[in-house]
């Protein structure tokens, strides 16, 4: 089946990898491309793929972009333009790879327009999981996870979802897995960004060092697979070859194993339910070792905060997500210490009065409140 794709976040790392997969497959039509503010990168992509439309969130870049795209390519601007592109009538799949809560609106727009969605944005489900899953049920469309861990669970569940007992998310442990706990508080941004396995953006790399990214994935798994907080376990797997496991009621485990390369999971979303040859090299079995261990709570306090937010429900996960974005940003700017990240998150969560069964407006309000509150908490601890 020929896919007609709208790619949101096309100039970011996931977006660029997606276009590599598009080139490899050869039969995916790029209908639309969107970026936050990289007009030059978006124009270069438009010149190569000739989409029906492009969208840029930065309104000031719209005029310049219009002069750079090929004839016949419409240019949309602002968040509403990105949402409009997500519902483009010629598309059947929208891959959401934009950063942050900005992915929530376009995801809802795509589902409301009757599109399948491939989701490579954690914040959309962390902050607005109840809204997204309600729209999935209403529209009858498919929500395909692109994150490696959730794609792995999705693949393992094919054929036997009713027999699920629990899901097991694997984490590399990040750069501080073996570092003495007493020295973690003084870790520098350079050290936190030295991930041993994956090459990612700065924010998610720091989240990997705190294990906050895995905490967000716990929340995502709850929404994607209908599991309770007690049915999601996290284990440390430094080699990053087993991307997740599923345990069934009979005690058996299924694991998805592959090299740590996002292009595999992107391709699975683009070709689902089919499998096709990919760009990945096969795993070498020479001297191959796979180990597993439980995460230490004192080493990764942010993971516990994510479980706490999921148990709290309502707008609590949205608050945690926004506060983490603020705290990580300030750490990267050297305005707070690494050890102050979980402290700021905890204090922000404690000050929040969660709204049960939130609307989109409630989620966005909680996000804005958490950003302001976390900024104040950061000033207090610095």
């Amino acid at each position: 089946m020929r896919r007609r794709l709208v790619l949101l976040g096309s100039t970011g790392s996931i977006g660029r990898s997606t276009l590599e997969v598009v080139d490899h497959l050869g039969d995916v039509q790029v209908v639309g491309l969107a970026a936050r503010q990289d007009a030059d990168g978006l124009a270069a992509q438009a010149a190569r793929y000739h989409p029906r439309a492009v969208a840029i969130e930065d309104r000031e870049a719209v005029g310049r972009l219009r002069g750079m795209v090929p004839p016949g390519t419409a240019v949309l601007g602002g968040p509403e333009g990105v949402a409009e592109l997500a519902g483009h009538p010629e598309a059947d799949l929208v891959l959401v790879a934009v950063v942050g809560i900005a992915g929530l609106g376009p995801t809802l727009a795509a589902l409301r327009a009757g599109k399948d969605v491939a989701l490579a944005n954690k914040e959309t489900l962390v902050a607005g999981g109840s809204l997204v899953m309600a729209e999935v049920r209403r529209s009858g469309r498919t929500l395909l996870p692109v994150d490696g861990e959730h794609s792995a669970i999705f693949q393992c569940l094919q054929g036997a979802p009713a027999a699920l007992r629990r899901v097991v998310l694997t984490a590399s442990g990040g750069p501080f897995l073996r570092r003495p706990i007493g020295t973690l508080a003084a870790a520098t941004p350079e050290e936190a960004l030295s991930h041993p396995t994956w090459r990612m953006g700065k924010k998610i790399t720091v989240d990997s060092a705190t294990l906050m990214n895995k905490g967000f994935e716990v929340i995502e798994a709850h929404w994607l697979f209908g599991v309770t907080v007690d049915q999601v376990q996290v284990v440390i797997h430094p080699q990053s070859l087993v991307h997740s496991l599923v345990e069934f009621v009979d005690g058996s485990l299924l694991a998805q194993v592959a090299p740590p390369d996002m292009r595999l999971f992107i391709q699975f979303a683009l070709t689902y339910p089919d499998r096709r040859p990919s760009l990945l090299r096969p795993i070498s079995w020479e001297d191959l070792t796979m180990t597993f261990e439980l995460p230490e709570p004192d080493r990764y306090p942010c993971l516990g905060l994510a479980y706490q937010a999921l148990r709290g429900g309502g707008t609590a996960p949205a608050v945690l997500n926004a506060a983490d974005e603020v705290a990580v940003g300030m750490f990267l700017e050297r305005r707070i210490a690494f050890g102050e990240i979980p402290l700021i998150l905890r204090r922000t969560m404690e000050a929040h009065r969660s709204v049960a069964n939130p609307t989109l407006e409630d989620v966005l309000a909680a996000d804005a409140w958490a950003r302001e509150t976390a900024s104040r908490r950061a000033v207090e601890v610095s």
Side-chain angles (χ1 to χ4, degrees):
M1 179 180 68
R2 180 178 174 84
R3 283 288 196 185
R4 294 169 296 168
L5 175 69
V6 165
L7 173 58
L8 309 181
S10 63
T11 59
S13 60
I14 297 295
R16 295 193 301 271
S17 293
T18 298
L19 292 175
E20 287 184 42
V21 174
V22 166
D23 291 341
H24 168 70
L25 292 173
D27 60 355
V28 177
Q29 179 185 357
V30 178
V31 172
L33 297 166
R36 185 168 67 89
Q37 60 182 16
D38 185 1
D40 293 329
L42 186 57
Q45 292 174 343
R48 177 177 176 84
Y49 295 98
H50 293 270
R52 298 286 191 265
V54 296
I56 190 158
E57 189 173 338
D58 182 1
R59 300 180 195 278
E60 296 182 0
V62 172
R64 189 163 67 91
L65 184 60
R66 284 201 175 102
M68 296 190 290
V69 300
T73 296
V75 177
L76 307 172
E80 67 277 10
V82 177
E84 180 181 346
L85 184 63
H88 195 284
E90 293 188 36
D92 54 50
L93 178 68
V94 179
L95 196 152
V96 181
V98 298
V99 176
I101 200 169
L104 178 56
T107 298
L108 293 173
L111 291 168
R112 289 167 181 161
K115 315 299 179 185
D116 291 336
V117 172
L119 190 59
N121 168 293
K122 297 181 188 300
E123 296 85 356
T124 289
L125 285 179
V126 171
S130 62
L131 302 173
V132 173
M133 299 315 295
E135 202 58 52
V136 169
R137 291 188 294 270
R138 187 206 63 79
S139 66
R141 305 313 303 176
T142 300
L143 182 64
L144 296 162
V146 175
D147 271 355
E149 293 79 5
H150 299 101
S151 176
I153 294 168
F154 184 80
Q155 293 178 52
C156 290
L157 283 175
Q158 299 302 300
L164 173 67
R165 175 181 287 165
R166 63 175 173 168
V167 298
V168 182
L169 299 169
T170 55
S172 70
F176 302 144
L177 176 61
R178 305 301 177 205
R179 179 165 170 159
I181 292 177
T183 70
L184 287 178
T188 67
E190 290 78 13
E191 291 169 333
L193 292 173
S194 299
H195 197 282
T197 307
W198 296 92
R199 295 294 172 262
M200 306 171 289
K202 290 184 177 180
K203 199 271 182 179
I204 192 173
T205 304
V206 174
D207 282 345
S208 297
T210 65
L211 227 61
M212 188 76 261
N213 74 314
K214 210 54 51 176
F216 288 151
E217 289 170 12
V218 169
I219 298 171
E220 287 182 274
H222 162 72
W223 292 113
L224 283 168
F225 307 112
V227 290
T228 68
V229 63
D230 295 321
Q231 288 179 290
V232 188
Q233 183 175 11
V234 173
V235 299
I236 302 294
H237 170 55
Q239 296 82 18
S240 297
L241 295 173
V242 175
H243 297 285
S244 278
L245 306 96
V246 169
E247 181 181 343
F248 294 99
V249 293
D250 61 0
S252 63
L253 284 165
L254 289 185
Q256 192 273 346
V257 184
D261 191 321
M262 280 300 299
R263 293 177 299 178
L264 173 68
F265 307 108
I266 292 168
Q267 177 168 311
F268 184 77
L270 293 183
T271 64
Y272 177 79
D274 299 328
R275 290 186 184 270
R276 291 166 56 179
S278 77
L279 291 163
L280 271 66
R281 294 180 179 179
I283 288 178
S284 172
W285 296 100
E286 297 179 4
D287 301 318
L288 182 65
T289 300
M290 291 190 287
T291 61
F292 303 87
E293 60 192 272
L294 294 177
E296 299 173 80
D298 291 342
R299 184 179 298 277
Y300 303 112
C302 288
L303 179 60
L305 293 175
Y307 275 97
Q308 179 182 328
L310 180 55
R311 287 192 169 92
T315 50
V319 165
L320 177 64
N321 172 73
D324 180 68
E325 190 169 322
V326 170
V328 170
M330 297 185 79
F331 166 67
L332 289 171
E333 295 169 0
R334 303 180 193 277
R335 295 166 63 190
I336 64 170
F338 183 78
E340 291 170 335
I341 294 175
L343 179 60
I344 292 168
L345 303 187
R346 182 177 293 107
R347 288 184 176 180
T348 304
M349 290 176 63
E350 289 172 350
H352 178 60
R353 298 180 64 179
S354 183
V355 177
N357 304 312
T359 64
L360 178 58
E361 291 72 23
D362 292 330
V363 169
L364 296 178
D367 177 88
W369 175 90
R371 291 175 191 277
E372 180 182 351
T373 303
S375 298
R376 289 202 308 270
R377 295 293 186 267
V379 171
E380 293 171 2
V381 302
S382 61

